[in-house]
Amino acid sequence: MKNGRKEQSSTIPEYENAIEIRGLCKRYDGFSLRDVDLVVPRGSIMGFVGQNGAGKTTTIQAVLNLIRKEEGSIRVLGLDHAEQENVIKERVAAVFDEIPFHDMLTPRQLSLVLEGIYARWQPQVFQEYLDRFGLPQKKKIGQLSKGMKMKLQIAAALSRQAELLIMDEATAGLDPVVRGEMLRVFLEYMQDENHSILMSSHITSDLEKIADSVTYIHQGRILLSGDKEDILSRHGLLRCRKVDLEQVEPRDCISTHRTEYGADVLVADRELCRRKYPRILLEAATLDEILLYYVRAGEHEGGRREWTL
């Protein structure tokens, strides 16, 4: 089981990956997506991580065909994202950091609107989520707080019988208690083995709790992608004194943070380094730390991969 969820059944699915991006390129003045590869296996949660402006939203917009890619291929639920866009959008729900619903509508009116748009809209499920999230039915959306608006978006997305949920910083405006509630809702959604989630977020602690895999993007390039537990188990931090640092081979280092008394070194093969450097303290690294060190390495590509605060 993954995160307490059921594994996929042995039945051969009609598609293997909920999202499959190969060689995606999109150029703007001052920013480009460059050869982005990203795969979200069916029945899993992918955490999509990066700083503001790293390319997360641009990638998501390309997946939804809201912007036109220049190179590469994108398949969603086994279908070409552009040629079969209408079919895909009936089966995919997206949640953005800004609510797309008209301010003058009430949640009750919104349900009637969405029922006329989506063939698989479930008004009773939507009502249950309104009650669960404590959302008023007759209050205009424009009068709701940012957190309530986000919960309304999530309620609408989960009431469409969508196979794929795409979220762009969907939990960023929520306090920790409400974020925890939303994470439980997402895990309930994943009880159906055919459901998948792509979750863009800069809150790595949330992703550590629920994601099966993680992709790091920085300045339009993928720095790291893979199974979350594998990434966490492979990487480690060598806590070096100045004299220790001289022993560490550069090929073992992702990047090095120098301090007044020594350095912390991120390594990609923790067990190898445990054997090679038995006298140097070696600790596990968090997703946040791994992201930071890979970002620093990316900034110094082809040169020194050392940094200080």
Side-chain angles (χ1 to χ4, degrees):
M1 297 179 70
K2 290 185 177 182
N3 292 317
R5 303 197 308 271
K6 297 183 293 182
E7 293 284 0
Q8 295 185 35
S9 67
S10 58
T11 304
I12 298 175
E14 61 184 30
Y15 57 88
E16 181 178 359
N17 298 315
I19 299 176
E20 189 170 325
I21 302 173
R22 303 293 183 189
L24 172 62
C25 295
K26 178 67 178 180
R27 299 170 183 86
Y28 294 101
D29 184 19
F31 174 78
S32 297
L33 287 180
R34 293 171 285 171
D35 297 317
V36 169
D37 289 345
L38 187 150
V39 174
V40 180
R42 182 180 183 177
S44 72
I45 300 176
M46 164 72 78
F48 194 28
V49 191
Q51 298 170 309
N52 291 336
K56 302 188 301 296
T57 296
T58 303
T59 302
I60 287 172
Q61 288 175 337
V63 168
L64 297 172
N65 205 32
L66 299 175
I67 60 172
R68 302 289 177 173
K69 69 181 188 300
E70 295 173 9
E71 298 175 35
S73 64
I74 303 175
R75 299 190 71 80
V76 180
L77 307 180
L79 306 172
D80 182 273
H81 82 300
E83 293 179 2
Q84 294 167 294
E85 178 180 2
N86 291 337
V87 175
I88 289 170
K89 288 186 175 177
E90 183 66 40
R91 298 166 62 187
V92 174
V95 178
F96 300 99
D97 58 347
E98 294 294 334
I99 191 164
F101 307 135
H102 198 288
D103 281 351
M104 297 304 293
L105 291 175
T106 65
R108 176 177 289 180
Q109 292 168 335
L110 176 65
S111 181
L112 295 174
V113 171
L114 296 179
E115 188 172 7
I117 296 174
Y118 297 110
R120 297 195 284 184
W121 177 254
Q122 298 174 295
Q124 184 56 43
V125 172
F126 183 63
Q127 178 62 55
E128 291 171 1
Y129 277 118
L130 293 183
D131 294 339
R132 178 172 178 176
F133 296 162
L135 296 172
Q137 297 186 47
K138 299 180 181 180
K139 193 172 184 177
K140 292 181 179 179
I141 293 173
Q143 298 174 324
L144 300 179
S145 68
K146 183 175 181 179
M148 294 177 75
K149 288 178 180 179
M150 186 57 67
K151 289 196 284 187
L152 180 64
Q153 263 205 94
I154 293 171
L158 293 171
S159 302
R160 288 182 41 201
Q161 300 187 65
E163 298 164 50
L164 171 63
L165 187 59
I166 297 178
M167 294 182 291
D168 189 8
E169 297 287 357
T171 60
L174 305 177
D175 64 55
V177 173
V178 177
R179 287 209 322 272
E181 180 187 1
M182 293 302 103
L183 296 184
R184 290 191 293 273
V185 169
F186 299 149
L187 289 176
E188 290 172 10
Y189 169 80
M190 293 299 296
Q191 289 297 318
D192 186 322
E193 61 191 21
N194 294 312
H195 288 169
S196 311
I197 295 178
L198 174 63
M199 184 175 179
S200 156
S201 178
H202 66 274
I203 306 174
T204 54
S205 59
D206 286 352
L207 299 179
E208 286 202 57
K209 294 174 184 175
I210 69 169
D212 299 308
S213 54
V214 176
T215 295
Y216 290 153
I217 188 169
H218 179 63
Q219 295 179 351
R221 296 176 63 247
I222 301 297
L223 297 184
L224 179 68
S225 186
D227 179 85
K228 179 195 68 179
E229 296 302 331
D230 180 58
I231 289 173
L232 289 171
S233 65
R234 283 191 296 109
H235 290 82
L237 281 171
L238 286 170
R239 308 290 191 181
C240 304
R241 299 170 300 172
K242 289 183 179 180
V243 67
D244 295 330
L245 188 58
E246 299 174 0
Q247 305 173 31
V248 181
E249 297 180 34
R251 65 182 178 181
D252 293 329
C253 306
I254 300 300
S255 64
T256 301
H257 174 211
R258 286 188 176 271
T259 67
E260 183 180 352
Y261 304 104
D264 296 331
V265 180
L266 182 73
V267 297
D269 193 331
R270 194 159 81 202
E271 289 309 310
L272 173 65
C273 290
R274 192 184 305 279
R275 295 192 299 270
K276 288 179 69 172
Y277 314 112
R279 297 187 178 181
I280 302 177
L281 177 63
L282 179 59
E283 297 180 347
T286 65
L287 282 179
D288 227 9
E289 290 170 329
I290 294 170
L291 171 59
L292 174 61
Y293 279 78
Y294 267 92
V295 165
R296 295 296 186 178
E299 290 173 349
H300 297 283
E301 185 177 8
R304 295 174 68 252
R305 294 186 295 178
E306 299 183 1
W307 49 285
T308 57
L309 292 177

